[in-house]
Amino acid sequence: MPDNNEAKKPTYEELEKYVSKLENKVYRTLRTELINRTLFDIANALNNSATLQDLYRSIQKILSNLMDMTNFYIAIYHKKRNAIQFVYHVDQEDDFHFAWIENFTQDRSLTGDVILAKRPLLLKEDELIELKSKGRVKGKLPKIWLG
């Protein structure tokens, strides 16, 4: 006769769900550690960079541990001037020919869209093709754009 105090054995499906939950928890923990390490490295670069260009290069290198940073730029928003200034850029194929976008609310760009939305923007190739046809993508069409 079975003991009523004995725990019921889980089914295979229940075990799969439990393992999946554990995998997700481990992934989230590792991702959090990676993000914290990245933020620490950027803060360290801020303290150890002699110039802003050195800092920007360090940021690019640090972020390249998280994603492809082959083509990368840093832009600063000047609210009073209603303009965007590109202070750092690395692009393998395009000759980066603009340092400013004046009146960016009229001369729409992806960078301007990030500022106007006040949130990050992730665009995939189909969205980028549509925006390029409207003149909103400057330079070579990327497969994915994150701003």
Side-chain angles (χ1 to χ4, degrees), residues 39-135:
L39 293 172
F40 174 82
D41 289 345
I42 290 172
N44 192 41
L46 180 63
N47 289 325
N48 294 316
S49 297
T51 67
L52 281 175
Q53 290 301 310
D54 290 342
L55 174 62
Y56 300 152
R57 269 189 293 282
S58 294
I59 290 171
Q60 180 186 13
K61 183 178 178 188
I62 292 164
L63 292 178
S64 70
N65 294 321
L66 299 175
M67 64 185 80
D68 179 9
M69 296 306 235
T70 304
N71 298 320
F72 174 76
Y73 66 89
I74 296 175
I76 296 177
Y77 169 48
H78 297 270
K79 188 175 183 177
K80 288 182 181 179
R81 190 170 168 177
N82 192 33
I84 303 168
Q85 178 186 18
F86 295 90
V87 294
Y88 179 81
H89 66 276
V90 173
D91 195 312
Q92 283 188 321
E93 295 188 26
D94 289 329
D95 180 25
F96 198 85
H97 59 275
F98 54 94
W100 288 86
I101 296 178
E102 300 287 349
N103 195 14
F104 78 93
T105 52
Q106 297 296 324
D107 184 14
R108 297 292 300 270
S109 68
L110 300 180
T111 304
D113 289 349
V114 172
I115 294 166
L116 292 172
K118 297 181 181 178
R119 63 179 176 77
L121 181 61
L122 176 64
L123 299 171
K124 296 181 181 167
E125 189 172 19
D126 58 335
E127 298 166 297
L128 291 163
I129 290 169
E130 181 183 335
L131 290 170
K132 179 131 180 123
S133 72
K134 296 176 183 177

